[in-house]
Amino acid sequence: MGNCLRYIDPSFAGLSRDVGVDITPVKESRLPIIFLIGGPGAGKRTQGIRIARHYGFLGIVTRDLLRDEVATGTQQAVTLARFMSESRLVPSDVMVELIKARMLSGLDTARGFILSGFPRGKEQSKYFDRHVRPPDLVLYLCMRNSVMTDRILARIVTATERQERNFDEIKKRIKTFSKLNKPILRRYSKKLCVIDGEKEESVVFEDICRAIDNVLMSGPSTSPAKETK
């Protein structure tokens, strides 16, 4: 048998891997860490902003984080731009290192962290739990596929693309989210709070606040997450 060579995806070229940002200050701060997940059009950005303002949390929108990185124009930025244009998941280590750097940058003033749109997929969640710590709460904005589709279509204002094409793309995005999200819900079942995202925005926010208040009263968790298959 000859030597076996490990295949390296050429699309990963240009990404800074295993940077190892020291997240110890965040761990020692014991500030609450909350994930806010939901499908396309579920209102993650809107609610994330309201949560951050209401509680004095540092709001981290992972898509914005990636866009900021792309704007730097580095070799990594070019690679990340390609991942985003192809709707591919950014490697877990790269995504989490960006999040870690952002958490550290706002540590002096933040009273907690609300991560909107993270994690996407079980591997990202496992990497975050190992290299930062498990979240104290996972908020899931639950919504029917038909409602998500209607909300996204309502946002689209274009004269160059046919609605049929947009509809097909939306269905694909929702299907992908559902596939990636199921393992997340299982993994964090004991820390999960399902929020009816179809209610009025203010009512959704009130439901979210009740869930967060319960966690703040009990204090942040420092125990490791239970591994799931």
Side-chain angles (χ1 to χ4, degrees):
M1 297 292 291
N3 292 331
C4 294
L5 298 178
R6 181 184 177 186
Y7 172 75
I8 299 177
D9 190 334
S11 64
F12 287 4
L15 292 177
S16 299
R17 314 300 297 271
D18 300 320
V19 176
V21 175
D22 183 10
I23 202 68
T24 301
V26 171
K27 293 179 180 180
E28 293 179 345
S29 73
R30 293 180 55 82
L31 292 175
I33 297 175
I34 299 171
F35 292 165
L36 177 61
I37 58 177
K44 300 181 294 296
R45 179 188 298 273
T46 299
Q47 295 296 342
I49 292 173
R50 292 191 67 171
I51 293 167
R53 289 175 178 171
H54 184 74
Y55 289 98
F57 290 171
L58 175 64
I60 301 176
V61 181
T62 52
R63 190 162 185 83
D64 289 348
L65 205 60
L66 290 171
R67 285 173 175 166
D68 290 344
E69 184 68 15
V70 167
T72 63
T74 62
Q75 185 176 0
Q76 170 159 289
V78 174
T79 304
L80 289 176
R82 184 166 65 251
F83 270 74
M84 295 176 71
S85 67
E86 297 173 354
S87 299
R88 296 177 58 188
L89 281 182
V90 173
S92 300
D93 57 340
V94 176
M95 187 73 255
V96 173
E97 290 302 310
L98 292 175
I99 292 173
K100 286 162 64 175
R102 184 70 184 93
M103 294 174 82
L104 286 170
S105 71
L107 183 58
D108 290 342
T109 56
R111 300 178 64 183
F113 304 94
I114 176 75
L115 278 62
S116 302
F118 182 88
R120 289 191 65 201
K122 185 171 70 173
E123 291 307 313
Q124 286 190 354
S125 69
K126 291 171 66 175
Y127 194 92
F128 187 95
D129 289 356
R130 286 197 305 269
H131 296 272
V132 183
R133 69 168 176 81
D136 301 287
L137 175 65
V138 178
L139 297 164
Y140 171 39
L141 297 178
C142 185
M143 189 176 292
R144 288 170 294 169
N145 291 354
S146 59
V147 177
M148 286 190 283
T149 300
D150 290 343
R151 287 193 177 187
I152 299 172
L153 286 174
R155 297 175 184 173
I156 296 174
V157 181
T158 175
T160 59
E161 292 183 287
R162 294 183 305 170
Q163 183 167 312
E164 291 82 2
R165 178 181 175 184
N166 290 323
F167 186 72
D168 289 340
E169 291 174 349
I170 291 168
K171 287 198 301 182
K172 182 178 179 181
R173 288 174 60 194
I174 293 175
K175 183 178 180 180
T176 299
F177 165 77
S178 180
K179 178 181 178 181
L180 294 173
N181 193 53
K182 288 179 180 178
I184 300 297
L185 301 183
R186 289 194 297 267
R187 179 175 177 81
Y188 295 122
S189 60
K190 294 184 179 180
K191 298 183 178 182
L192 179 66
C193 181
V194 179
I195 304 292
D196 184 353
E198 296 184 18
K199 295 179 181 178
E200 293 292 331
E201 180 184 313
S202 59
V203 178
V204 173
F205 181 65
E206 291 174 359
D207 291 343
I208 288 174
C209 287
R210 277 192 288 271
I212 294 176
D213 289 344
N214 288 336
V215 168
L216 295 181
M217 285 190 294
S218 60
S221 170
T222 56
S223 60
K226 182 179 180 180
E227 287 293 327
T228 57
K229 300 295 185 182

